[in-house]
Amino acid sequence: MGSHITLELDVLELFIANASVLIFAWSCFSDELLGLMNILLKLSRSTTEFSWSFSYGVLAMHRVGSTGNTNNSTRGRKEKRLTYVLNDFDDTKHCAGINGLAVLKSAASDGSDYLFTGSRDGKLKRWSLAEEAVTCSATFESHVDWVNDAVLVGDSTLVSCSSDTTVKTWNALSSGTCTRTLHQHSDYVTCLAAAEKNSNIVASGGLGGEVFIWDIEAALASAGKCNDAMDDDTSNGISGSGLRTISSSNSISLHPTQTQGYIPVSAKGHKESVYALAMNEGGTLLVSGGTEKVVRVWDPRSGSKTLKLKGHTDNIRALLLDSTGRFCLSGSSDSMIRLWDLGQQRCVHSYAVHTDSVWALASTPTFSHVYSGGRDYSLYLTDLQTRESVLLCTGEQPILQLALHDDSIWVASTDSSVHRWPAEGRNPQRTYQRGNSFLAGNLSFSRARVSLEGSTPVPVYKEPTLTIPGIPGIVQHEILNDKRHVLTKDTSGSLKLWEITKGVVVEDYGKVSFEEKKKELFEMLSIPTWFTVDTRLGSLSINLDTPQCFSAEMYSADLNIVGKSEDDKVNLARETLKGLLAHWLKKRKQRIGTPAPANGDLLSGKDVTTRCLTHSRIEVDGTSENDAVVYPPFEFSVVSPPSIVTEGTHGGPWRKKITDLDGTEDEKDFPWWCLDCVLNNRLPPRENTKCSFYLHPCEGSTVQILTQGKLSAPRILRIHKVINYVIEKMVLDKPLDSVNADGNFPPGLAGSQLQHQAVGDGSFRPGFKPWQRIRPSIEILCNNQILSPEMSLATVRTYIWKRTDDLVLNYRVVQGR
């Protein structure tokens, strides 16, 4: 049965113009919907680029290229964002689904084999493989979005692709060195393919319908030669060499989009997204597939199309080629696996094994058997000649990737763990001797019918032989009202409380109700929202955008900062930036070899109590003395340091741990407003941080104060300061004899009315005469509700006053106190 979806034009325009992330429930996620969204992408690209991703049971659309968009636009340029990603205490594990697997076998007989994993947390990891144990020996961190695939080239080059639209090369045997970033794709890069015997050739495909063939050796060789030219060209707004594009008519045109001195071959012909690539050993044949439901065959040496194979009825999600390039296997969202004879240009076999989309394929070295996994959580082994199939195992998550390793197979899924299962890769016939095999049908409904009839095969293996455990990814979050803590829930159902200004977990609540815990942690506080949170990487990403991020302030007393005047205001974003960049500034001072100016010297929080900080105030114009201390509430962990994700004027977005910053980063790497804040103590103009209010006596009260009319004070001013203000205006000029025995003050306190008075941050002034130190008990009310002295004006306005006009407060003397 088909489903009809109608979108009104105005809704579509709103969808295109305003949406940055749209979430669709798992119940509506299907490959048909994915096809519809690709159509919507075509409509949307005239104004804004969007792409789709899937994680933890949801389909998400994200704006592509929101940073550094070079297209002509009448809209104002948006300032670059700075994001910091909070890392778990055990950073040796992934915290999101695994999209890429690659096995590197040691050349030495006694050497260790390696498994490389690429995750939706944006990282790649290298695992040293032993018979009964696996250890993480390196983490490769540079991508700023999901890693979608990874392949090995030659003896020591790892190539990865990402939803950040880049392809990166790494020294696979290093501690995590990125050797080159290749910017060519206009949209998410979804898949890679490598030629095993031609160790230089790698192909990449993505959602933009683009397929590029890279000579990795040439690309790496050109990196050093063109650095100076790149700087000159980029500063002048000039692009580098043109890119050869082979169109559907095989005509060649030049596109000035490559700025790195290297020109990859472009196989142009796809009209829609590409999800799968495969290449033969010699690199002379390339196949691609995607949402067009056809297998395209290319000559990667020239980028020319050779043929197109039709047969699948839904998106093609996985492809394999045999070593000779004659036979091709394809896995599709129509649940079918097809075997193609490229010489005969036709499908020679169809295998109905799965009950849902096929997302991953791996073959034995002789291409006689295929391992397949997908959305039905199942891993099957199928004999391509006899059609005999067997269910090897079932998991708890959809299978995303497979990698054969001797007589085992590594299985990656939307979970953050990777499992090793027996596979008998050298002699797969042994598996069939265990029984429970069946003959694969040749029509997709035949397998589904068998499943409905209750004759589902029994898996051969119940437990994996080895597991590389991951960390449950964060799937739900709530920013608490203090705007310093975030409550999170992960895929295991556990709740944690994070302090985002330190980057650490302060409470682990275990598996309890998220809603109940959220209610329990509720505080009647009103602090401006100065950051946003994203959990797409399976961890907390804290986004800072100027000038909004500088809107939140707190008094130092509320942050328990020892040695600092309690009335000093602390800008949360500025102090957070100082904490994030403390290591960078230290390295920067060492690199330039001269003492940094006072406004750039960030000290450890341990030195706070040794300095007099009572006069350090932050002014928007930057004229005041810079407060150079990193306070304890903003000291980030060096054991599990956060990673910065940002972008400067050159090179595109990047990601690096704060402890890995070497001091060479400058305005080409950081947003200008970030450096201006940390180095020059300048904050951008912000919205009004004052709150206007009226202060009147309660109805029937005979108490008056000298000042009447509209008052103005910082939004964070506490009610106890207002109480002090009332007391000052009541008693400073009157001796205690004028106070009645019941504590009331006589009416008629003379004094001129001062309009628009400013309520200062100072408390009861020192130097009072003894009779002035005896304070009456004052209550402040709003809407007839007694206010706590610890409430701020902003909190009163938000939760008590609940109106847009000027706040009205009432005061009275408490009888009998």
Side-chain angles (χ1 to χ4, degrees):
M1 293 179 62
S3 60
H4 301 277
I5 302 177
T6 304
L7 291 177
E8 298 293 339
L9 182 59
D10 57 344
V11 176
L12 179 59
E13 290 175 348
L14 181 65
F15 168 88
I16 293 171
N18 299 323
S20 61
V21 178
L22 296 179
I23 305 299
F24 289 80
W26 163 263
S27 59
C28 71
F29 175 71
S30 66
D31 290 288
E32 284 125 346
L33 180 61
L34 194 58
L36 172 63
M37 295 311 160
N38 274 282
I39 296 174
L40 292 180
L41 285 179
K42 299 296 183 182
L43 297 176
S44 68
R45 283 188 178 123
S46 60
T47 55
T48 307
E49 295 275 342
F50 292 95
S51 286
W52 299 90
S53 57
F54 175 74
S55 178
Y56 302 116
V58 294
L59 179 68
M61 187 190 76
H62 314 288
R63 178 177 284 116
V64 176
S66 58
T67 56
N69 188 4
T70 58
N71 296 333
N72 293 331
S73 174
T74 58
R75 300 177 182 177
R77 179 180 176 87
K78 186 176 180 181
E79 297 294 349
K80 302 294 176 57
R81 163 181 287 183
L82 185 136
T83 297
Y84 61 98
V85 183
L86 303 186
N87 295 314
D88 194 272
F89 67 93
D90 189 355
D91 195 37
T92 63
K93 298 176 181 178
H94 287 297
C95 63
I98 311 297
N99 285 339
L101 293 175
V103 174
L104 178 63
K105 294 184 68 64
S106 173
S109 58
D110 56 347
S112 173
D113 293 345
Y114 293 110
L115 175 69
F116 293 86
T117 53
S119 171
R120 294 176 176 181
D121 61 14
K123 303 176 185 178
L124 297 105
K125 293 185 182 294
R126 184 183 69 224
W127 307 88
S128 299
L129 303 179
E131 187 62 31
E132 298 298 333
V134 175
T135 56
C136 179
S137 55
T139 297
F140 302 82
E141 185 173 7
S142 180
H143 284 297
V144 301
D145 209 330
W146 288 11
V147 175
N148 292 324
D149 203 358
V151 295
L152 287 161
V153 179
D155 296 328
S156 60
T157 300
L158 177 68
V159 184
S160 61
C161 68
S162 168
S163 295
D164 63 13
T165 75
T166 68
V167 175
K168 291 181 181 286
T169 62
W170 314 77
N171 183 342
L173 302 181
S174 72
S175 58
T177 305
C178 179
T179 55
R180 186 73 189 271
T181 299
L182 304 171
H183 299 273
Q184 195 59 57
H185 285 269
S186 64
D187 211 329
Y188 288 14
V189 191
T190 56
C191 51
L192 298 170
E196 292 185 12
K197 290 187 177 179
N198 189 340
S199 60
N200 295 330
I201 305 301
V202 172
S204 60
L207 295 189
E210 303 150 323
V211 176
F212 296 109
I213 299 96
W214 306 86
D215 185 325
I216 296 300
E217 184 177 338
L220 292 176
S222 68
K225 298 178 181 178
C226 68
N227 282 340
D228 295 337
M230 281 177 59
D231 291 339
D232 294 340
D233 290 348
T234 309
S235 61
N236 295 324
I238 302 173
S239 296
S241 304
L243 169 70
R244 287 186 295 164
T245 302
I246 294 84
S247 67
S248 56
S249 61
N250 292 342
S251 60
I252 298 179
S253 58
L254 290 178
H255 295 270
T257 57
Q258 177 69 17
T259 60
Q260 297 177 329
Y262 169 72
I263 307 174
V265 175
S266 174
K268 191 173 181 181
H270 278 282
K271 300 179 180 64
E272 296 178 14
S273 300
V274 177
Y275 282 109
L277 293 171
M279 195 180 298
N280 68 336
E281 284 187 351
T284 58
L285 197 67
L286 174 70
V287 291
S288 61
T291 56
E292 294 174 283
K293 309 170 189 176
V294 298
V295 177
R296 295 184 182 272
V297 185
W298 312 83
D299 183 345
R301 296 163 294 187
S302 63
S304 59
K305 293 187 295 185
T306 57
L307 60 105
K308 180 170 63 175
L309 302 171
K310 297 181 179 181
H312 282 295
T313 60
D314 211 330
N315 304 329
I316 295 173
R317 303 299 298 268
L319 289 168
L320 289 178
L321 274 176
D322 74 336
S323 58
T324 65
R326 177 180 175 182
F327 292 104
C328 172
L329 277 169
S330 59
S332 169
S333 295
D334 61 14
S335 77
M336 295 296 294
I337 300 171
R338 291 183 179 272
L339 179 63
W340 308 84
D341 188 322
L342 301 186
Q344 298 181 25
Q345 300 186 17
R346 68 183 184 91
C347 176
V348 292
H349 286 293
S350 297
Y351 307 92
V353 175
H354 291 268
T355 59
D356 210 328
S357 302
V358 180
W359 288 351
L361 297 174
S363 71
T364 55
T366 59
F367 214 73
S368 60
H369 295 73
V370 62
Y371 301 88
S372 58
R375 194 177 163 188
D376 59 4
Y377 307 175
S378 301
L379 175 65
Y380 288 92
L381 172 64
T382 303
D383 188 317
L384 296 179
Q385 266 195 325
T386 67
R387 309 180 64 86
E388 189 177 8
S389 294
V390 63
L391 175 61
L392 293 180
C393 63
T394 57
E396 298 179 353
Q397 300 289 339
I399 295 174
L400 297 176
Q401 194 62 268
L402 302 172
L404 201 62
H405 183 211
D406 297 333
D407 280 332
S408 301
I409 189 167
W410 291 99
V411 179
S413 68
T414 55
D415 184 23
S416 56
S417 301
V418 183
H419 304 284
R420 187 182 71 186
W421 295 85
E424 301 290 355
R426 297 187 182 96
N427 188 3
Q429 288 300 328
R430 293 180 182 174
T431 305
Y432 295 104
Q433 296 172 6
R434 296 174 176 265
N436 295 323
S437 64
F438 63 95
L439 288 179
N442 54 13
L443 297 174
S444 58
F445 70 82
S446 62
R447 183 68 188 89
R449 184 180 62 193
V450 170
S451 178
L452 290 174
E453 291 173 353
S455 56
T456 303
V458 177
V460 175
Y461 304 108
K462 303 297 183 183
E463 298 291 337
T465 57
L466 191 61
T467 294
I468 302 176
I471 299 169
I474 296 173
V475 292
Q476 190 175 1
H477 72 275
E478 180 74 17
I479 301 173
L480 301 190
N481 283 352
D482 65 0
K483 300 302 189 293
R484 292 177 54 232
H485 294 88
V486 176
L487 179 67
T488 63
K489 180 180 179 179
D490 60 34
T491 53
S492 70
S494 293
L495 272 59
K496 292 181 180 179
L497 186 65
W498 293 77
E499 186 173 353
I500 62 108
T501 55
K502 298 182 71 173
V504 295
V505 174
V506 292
E507 291 288 346
D508 188 341
Y509 299 112
K511 298 180 180 180
V512 298
S513 169
F514 186 83
E515 293 302 321
E516 290 181 6
K517 180 58 67 174
K518 186 170 68 172
K519 292 178 182 178
E520 178 185 325
L521 294 174
F522 173 80
E523 292 181 278
M524 194 178 290
L525 294 174
S526 180
I527 297 175
T529 300
W530 59 281
F531 63 92
T532 57
V533 174
D534 181 9
T535 58
R536 193 172 74 253
L537 300 179
S539 53
L540 280 182
S541 296
I542 310 300
N543 305 313
L544 303 181
D545 293 289
T546 188
Q548 301 93 322
C549 66
F550 296 108
S551 62
E553 295 178 329
M554 294 180 67
Y555 287 118
S556 60
D558 298 326
L559 293 167
N560 298 317
I561 298 178
V562 179
K564 187 173 176 66
S565 173
E566 66 175 16
D567 293 326
D568 279 354
K569 293 194 287 288
V570 175
N571 188 286
L572 298 184
R574 176 178 179 266
E575 301 306 317
T576 299
L577 287 172
K578 285 164 51 181
L580 288 170
L581 298 181
H583 180 84
W584 168 77
L585 193 69
K586 179 181 178 181
K587 291 292 185 181
R588 179 175 178 267
K589 288 171 54 181
Q590 294 174 353
R591 182 178 60 84
I592 60 179
T594 56
N599 65 355
D601 189 6
L602 302 188
L603 304 179
S604 168
K606 298 177 182 178
D607 300 324
V608 172
T609 56
T610 64
R611 298 190 52 184
C612 178
L613 305 169
T614 55
H615 298 293
S616 62
R617 292 293 184 93
I618 302 172
E619 302 291 342
V620 172
D621 61 6
T623 57
S624 63
E625 176 190 355
N626 183 25
D627 189 348
V629 177
V630 176
Y631 303 111
F634 304 93
E635 287 184 326
F636 287 89
S637 169
V638 295
V639 178
S640 54
S643 301
I644 284 181
V645 177
T646 191
E647 181 180 5
T649 57
H650 295 72
W654 54 273
R655 172 174 173 170
K656 189 180 289 187
K657 279 189 174 61
I658 60 173
T659 50
D660 291 337
L661 298 173
D662 57 12
T664 62
E665 299 84 4
D666 53 21
E667 69 277 358
K668 295 192 298 295
D669 307 298
F670 285 110
W672 69 270
W673 59 265
C674 176
L675 297 182
D676 208 31
C677 169
V678 174
L679 297 178
N680 303 322
N681 192 36
R682 286 197 289 261
L683 303 184
R686 295 163 289 163
E687 64 179 15
N688 183 24
T689 59
K690 299 287 185 179
C691 177
S692 298
F693 64 99
Y694 292 94
L695 190 58
H696 298 315
C698 288
E699 185 177 352
S701 173
T702 57
V703 178
Q704 297 290 326
I705 62 175
L706 293 176
T707 302
Q708 296 178 354
K710 184 184 289 190
L711 304 171
S712 178
R715 291 180 304 192
I716 62 175
L717 189 80
R718 301 293 186 183
I719 292 300
H720 72 78
K721 298 286 188 181
V722 180
I723 293 175
N724 289 344
Y725 178 80
V726 172
I727 293 174
E728 290 178 10
K729 295 302 179 182
M730 288 174 56
V731 302
L732 288 185
D733 300 323
K734 291 289 181 178
L736 282 180
D737 342 338
S738 63
V739 182
N740 297 335
D742 59 3
N744 284 325
F745 285 80
L749 284 176
S752 59
Q753 294 185 357
L754 302 177
Q755 300 294 324
H756 300 280
Q757 296 288 323
V759 179
D761 295 345
S763 56
F764 203 35
R765 293 195 294 268
F768 294 159
K769 298 175 182 177
W771 59 265
Q772 292 173 323
R773 296 177 186 270
I774 302 175
R775 299 159 58 98
S777 183
I778 301 294
E779 285 181 341
I780 304 295
L781 297 87
C782 178
N783 281 344
N784 296 319
Q785 182 174 335
I786 300 174
L787 303 180
S788 165
E790 298 307 313
M791 276 189 175
S792 68
L793 292 178
T795 300
V796 173
R797 185 180 186 88
T798 301
Y799 293 100
I800 310 298
W801 184 242
K802 299 179 181 178
R803 290 160 58 179
T804 57
D805 52 342
D806 288 330
L807 178 66
V808 176
L809 300 179
N810 302 103
Y811 60 89
R812 70 186 181 194
V813 175
V814 181
Q815 300 294 333
R817 293 187 187 175

